[in-house]
Amino acid sequence: MSHLMVGVVRARNLLNKDDGKAGDLSDPYAKVMCTASSLEIQKTNTVNDCLDPIWNALLLYELNSSLMDEGLIKVWVMDKDKWSTDDDLGQLILPIKDFEIGKQYDEWYPLTIDNKPCGEINLRIKVTP
């Protein structure tokens, strides 16, 4: 059985969805889902008042080999809100088949909302046999 390791390292140039008063900035966290795994969505910790958060989170998924060719890595960066629904700070979808088995990737990927750029996220991705 193959495994997928997703290192959610950091993001930069995120949107500020908070009011900005008294230094109030977005409180970002990342959610990651792998459609070739039975695991639920996994999350990083929340970094308060930051538009360039560092998470250094490692998320592990056991892959269903019959789903790997069509499998996707879906990433959402969200702004944690205490009194309302969390705000979307950007999204990313990556096909698993784009990652060679055994090779580690360490890349910055663009985040978008409605096809408009809204920051970047640094992911370390590896599919292991």
Side-chain angles (χ1 to χ4, degrees), residues 13-18 26 50-51 79 88-90 113 117-119:
N13 303 320
L14 296 178
L15 299 174
N16 186 15
K17 294 285 183 125
D18 290 346
S26 291
C50 187
L51 302 180
D79 171 30
D88 186 4
L89 296 176
I113 298 176
C118 55

Side-chain angles (χ1 to χ4, degrees), residues 27-86:
D27 306 308
Y29 66 94
K31 302 189 303 186
V32 179
M33 181 178 85
C34 173
T35 64
S37 173
S38 61
L39 282 178
E40 297 291 320
I41 293 172
Q42 297 186 59
K43 297 179 184 179
T44 67
N45 63 310
T46 299
V47 178
N48 293 323
D49 295 318
C50 187
L51 302 180
D52 299 304
I54 297 172
W55 294 294
N56 285 322
L58 180 61
L59 310 177
L60 303 173
Y61 297 89
E62 201 169 275
L63 297 175
N64 181 331
S65 57
S66 65
L67 300 175
M68 279 182 57
D69 284 342
E70 301 301 320
L72 300 172
I73 302 167
K74 296 183 177 186
V75 181
W76 300 267
V77 177
M78 305 295 292
D79 171 30
K80 182 74 174 167
D81 287 325
K82 197 178 227 182
W83 309 111
S84 62
T85 304
D86 293 352

Side-chain angles (χ1 to χ4, degrees), residues 4 63 67-73 92-107 109 125-127:
L4 171 68
L63 297 175
L67 300 175
M68 279 182 57
D69 284 342
E70 301 301 320
L72 300 172
I73 302 167
L92 170 67
I93 298 176
L94 300 168
I96 293 173
K97 66 182 179 184
D98 288 356
F99 298 96
E100 182 181 328
I101 293 176
K103 182 177 178 182
Q104 180 158 323
Y105 297 81
D106 185 348
E107 303 288 337
Y109 297 95
I125 298 173
K126 185 174 185 178
V127 178

Side-chain angles (χ1 to χ4, degrees), residues 105-122:
Y105 297 81
D106 185 348
E107 303 288 337
W108 283 95
Y109 297 95
L111 296 166
T112 60
I113 298 176
D114 297 325
N115 293 318
K116 295 177 185 169
C118 55
E120 297 176 294
I121 190 165
N122 178 211

